[in-house]
């Protein structure tokens, strides 16, 4: 069945049986070269045949057509034996068309023959049939000896031979944005080329990533990169440091746009515009105007408005090497497959749908035909980045860290993490890489680290060498954690063991406090609400790792990172009321207010219930004032810890004896 207006120029078939589609394909191959319309049909047919039949079945159909030529093709030549030497025989001419069709298939889609063993065997059977007839010329047309092996899907390197010996730092702080963009493009290129036609078809039909590891790996790379961008920024402690990292990733985005790598560009810009970073007002205030302008331009380019119309327009104007946004085209596939049936008019193949699908799938599979990319890959850096991107964090964990970096102020920020509008649903629900993949990436990364940083070749990494490479991994533990045997050096086994165990839990463990119920023998305050921990025994909960203290109802709300040593020292001074010389005026003022509150408690035993309420209101008012005024207050004092403790004990004793508490002069 034909149609008047075709979706693809030259493809006028609306629906047909599989045999009829094969016949039309064969008939297009005459003695001359294919014309434009014939070639478009053959291109669509060979690209899309896997949608409605197996490649092995198509090859067998060509064999059946070849063997049945004597009966289906009429030859008017007198006494013709249909021998290969008779070029005028219609039977032989039809056999030539069949072999030329197979040859076109091999040339246009070599990956089908490289990756499909049953198809290769069927093609070999056709070659043996040609040899049995003595048709050596046609045998050359179906020869598979020149088909590439496609080992690049597993072992591909595009490094420039002239740069093999160049030294490139693996440290994020030392990397130029252009080089980082190049290595990310190489990773994206490898992941994209691994995805087969069948992977796209299965996803379109099932709308699920189940049993689709190659596609899941590509989407996992996208998610990992977006999360890595956020974590690298949030790992910095000051607004200016975070702004510097944002500026660097903004420059990476510029290079990605030049490379026409839209998928990686989407991942990075999506990370930079995520709500976990967008809410950081102090950080954003430190951004240069040029960086803000760049982010706005890329956000507009990648916006999902009007079905990603800005991106689609720019993408179709690009030529040569380019990487599309995978999620946009996957959604197109699902939409079209859902809207149109595979078969119509009984059991005819809906070839109009095949033509429409071909427009999408040719963009998704075009990278499999690209052998050279405009980047020079440094495999040591690639292996380090690959492991960094495999660390898996959740939206809530990243948002908690954002709150820890810049707590909510008077201007309320979103209460829950939200993705920017440019993100599509396809990126969700991707599981972390499997253990075998993780082990391989850990091994490659560790080998790269020791190759580039073990300068004395003693097979150990020193403290200074570790600090250099650790910058690529946000929230990595200290040198002494990795140094399991405490010999002052990190071996390969120690580093491998750490990363394998820490994978997918690096950030999660940072917020997982080991709280246990505790009895305090001196006034202690909650790290979350700053209130006093009340009670006779077991007044609150204390973290075994970092020593922070909290009420029972507050401990699950704590968003402070759990850090041994440094955090323990910091929180001990704040929670227990001691004053450190490096505290800010705001922190000192808050401690002073707590001390005043404790004094008020000692003076209010005559009306305990009422005074408790008043104290709480006073505490809330004072807490609000703390956030509104950063300057020192008149009349503020700092009482020694032991004096405060003695005062508290005395007041508690008087309260128990129903005696009025005499106020003391401070």
């Amino acid at each position: 069945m034909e149609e008047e207006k075709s979706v693809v120029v030259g493809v006028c078939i609306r629906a047909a049986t599989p045999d009829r589609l094969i016949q039309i394909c064969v008939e297009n191959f005459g003695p001359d070269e294919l014309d434009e319309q014939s070639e478009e049909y053959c291109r669509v047919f060979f690209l899309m045949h896997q949608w409605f039949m197996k490649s092995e079945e198509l090859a067998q159909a060509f064999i059946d057509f070849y063997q049945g030529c004597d009966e289906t093709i009429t030859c008017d030549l007198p006494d013709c034996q249909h021998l290969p030497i008779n070029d005028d025989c219609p039977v032989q001419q039809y056999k030539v068309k069949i072999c030329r069709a197979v040859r076109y298939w091999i040339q246009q889609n070599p990956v089908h023959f490289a990756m499909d063993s049953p198809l290769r065997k069927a093609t070999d059977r056709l070659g043996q049939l040609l040899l049995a007839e003595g048709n050596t010329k046609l045998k050359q047309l179906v020869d598979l000896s020149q088909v590439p092996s496609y080992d690049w899907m597993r072992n591909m390197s595009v490094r420039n031979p002239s740069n093999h010996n160049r030294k490139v730092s693996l440290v994020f702080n030392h990397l130029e944005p252009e080089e980082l963009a190049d290595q990310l493009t190489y990773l994206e290129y490898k992941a994209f080329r691994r995805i087969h036609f069948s992977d796209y078809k299965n996803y379109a039909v099932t709308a699920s990533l189940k049993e689709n590891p190659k596609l899941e790996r590509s989407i996992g790379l996208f998610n990992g990169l977006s999360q890595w961008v956020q974590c690298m920024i949030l790992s910095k402690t000051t607004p200016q440091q975070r702004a510097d990292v944002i500026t660097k990733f903004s420059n990476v985005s510029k290079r990605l746009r030049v490379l026409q790598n839209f998928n990686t560009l989407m991942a990075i810009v999506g990370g930079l515009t995520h709500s976990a970073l967008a809410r950081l007002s102090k950080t954003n205030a430190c951004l240069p105007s040029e960086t803000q302008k760049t982010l706005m331009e890329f956000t507009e380019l990648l916006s999902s408005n009007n079905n990603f119309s800005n991106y689609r327009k720019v993408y179709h104007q690009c030529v040569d090497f380019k990487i599309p946004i995978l999620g946009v085209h996957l959604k197109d596939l699902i939409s079209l497959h859902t809207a149109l049936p595979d078969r119509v008019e009984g059991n005819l193949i809906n070839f109009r749908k095949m033509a429409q699908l071909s427009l999408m799938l040719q963009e998704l599979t075009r990278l499999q035909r690209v052998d050279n990319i405009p980047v020079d890959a440094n495999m040591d850096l690639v292996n380090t980045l690959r492991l960094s991107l495999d660390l898996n964090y959740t939206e809530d964990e990243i948002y908690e860290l954002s709150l820890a970096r810049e707590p909510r102020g008077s201007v309320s920020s979103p209460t829950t993490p939200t993705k920017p509008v440019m993100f599509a649903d396809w990126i969700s629900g991707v599981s972390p890489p499997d253990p075998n993949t993780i082990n391989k990436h850990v091994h490659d990364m560790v080998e790269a680290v020791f190759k580039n940083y073990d300068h004395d070749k003693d097979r150990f990494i020193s403290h200074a060498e570790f600090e250099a490479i650790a910058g690529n991994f946000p929230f990595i533990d200290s040198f002494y954690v990795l140094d399991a045997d405490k010999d002052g050096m990190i071996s390969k086994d120690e580093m491998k063991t750490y990363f394998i165990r820490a994978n997918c839990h690096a950030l999660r463990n940072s917020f997982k406090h080991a709280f246990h119920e505790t009895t305090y023998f001196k006034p202690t305050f909650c790290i979350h609400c700053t209130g006093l921990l009340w009670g006779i025994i077991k007044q609150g909960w204390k973290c075994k790792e970092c020593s922070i203290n909290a009420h029972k109802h507050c401990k699950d709300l704590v968003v402070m990172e759990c850090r041994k040593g440094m955090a323990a020292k910091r929180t001990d001074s704040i929670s227990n009321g001691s004053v450190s010389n490096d505290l800010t005026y705001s922190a000192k003022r808050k401690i002073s207010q707590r001390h005043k509150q404790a004094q008020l408690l000692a003076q209010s035993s005559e009306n305990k219930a009422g005074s408790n309420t008043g104290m709480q209101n006073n505490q809330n008012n004072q807490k609000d004032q703390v956030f509104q005024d950063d300057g020192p207050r008149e009349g503020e004092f700092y009482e020694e810890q032991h004096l405060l403790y003695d005062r508290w004990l005395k007041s508690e004793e008087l309260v128990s004896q129903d005696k009025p508490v005499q106020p003391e002069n401070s």
Side-chain angles (χ1 to χ4, degrees), residues 518-552:
T518 305
T519 298
Y520 301 95
F521 298 100
K522 55 184 177 180
T524 308
F525 300 91
C526 175
I527 196 69
H528 177 70
C529 71
T530 72
L532 185 68
L533 298 176
W534 278 92
I536 304 300
I537 60 172
K538 295 184 178 180
Q539 300 97 324
W541 296 72
K542 184 173 185 176
C543 178
K544 295 179 180 179
E545 303 295 338
C546 64
S547 300
I548 66 171
N549 306 289
H551 291 104
K552 180 179 180 180

Side-chain angles (χ1 to χ4, degrees), residues 102-103 107 167 214 282 448 503 515 532 624-625 650:
V102 175
R103 183 60 183 171
Q107 291 175 336
K167 281 289 183 180
K214 294 189 178 78
K282 295 180 181 179
N503 184 266
F515 281 114
L532 185 68
D624 291 338
Q625 293 171 358
K650 184 178 180 180

Side-chain angles (χ1 to χ4, degrees), residues 582-609:
D582 60 352
L583 289 178
T584 64
Y585 279 114
S586 178
K588 291 179 180 179
R589 182 170 63 253
K590 185 179 293 187
I591 295 172
S592 174
Q593 298 303 322
R594 291 173 179 166
H595 291 181
K596 289 181 179 179
Q597 293 160 16
Q599 183 183 18
L600 291 174
L601 289 175
Q603 298 172 347
S604 59
S605 60
E606 294 181 352
N607 190 355
K608 189 172 183 180

Side-chain angles (χ1 to χ4, degrees), residues 432-446:
D434 61 90
N436 291 334
T437 301
I438 293 297
N439 291 345
K440 178 181 182 301
H441 291 177
V442 169
H443 174 80
D444 292 341
M445 188 281 296
V446 172

Side-chain angles (χ1 to χ4, degrees), residues 446-500:
V446 172
E447 292 296 327
V449 168
F450 276 78
K451 173 183 174 182
N452 290 272
Y453 290 91
D454 182 18
H455 302 300
D456 54 7
K457 305 303 177 185
D458 62 349
R459 300 183 179 181
F460 291 95
I461 294 295
S462 67
H463 190 281
E465 294 166 344
F466 169 79
E467 290 299 326
I469 195 62
N472 293 335
F473 302 94
F475 323 118
I476 191 174
D477 284 309
S478 67
F479 174 87
Y480 304 102
V481 175
L482 276 75
D483 181 19
D485 57 8
K486 309 304 178 185
D487 62 351
M489 306 291 282
I490 298 177
S491 65
K492 283 186 178 182
D493 290 339
E494 288 174 330
M495 186 172 288
K496 289 178 182 178
T497 299
Y498 171 80
F499 276 107
I500 290 174

Side-chain angles (χ1 to χ4, degrees), residues 226 269-275 299 304 395 418-424:
S226 182
V269 175
L272 293 176
T273 58
H274 195 278
S275 58
T299 301
S304 60
E395 295 283 332
T418 57
K419 302 187 184 76
V421 294
M422 68 175 60
F423 273 89

Side-chain angles (χ1 to χ4, degrees), residues 13 32 35 272 314 338 403 567:
I13 307 300
D32 301 324
D35 58 35
L272 293 176
V314 171
T338 304
L403 292 174

Side-chain angles (χ1 to χ4, degrees), residues 261 340 346 432 568 609:
N261 179 0
L340 299 176

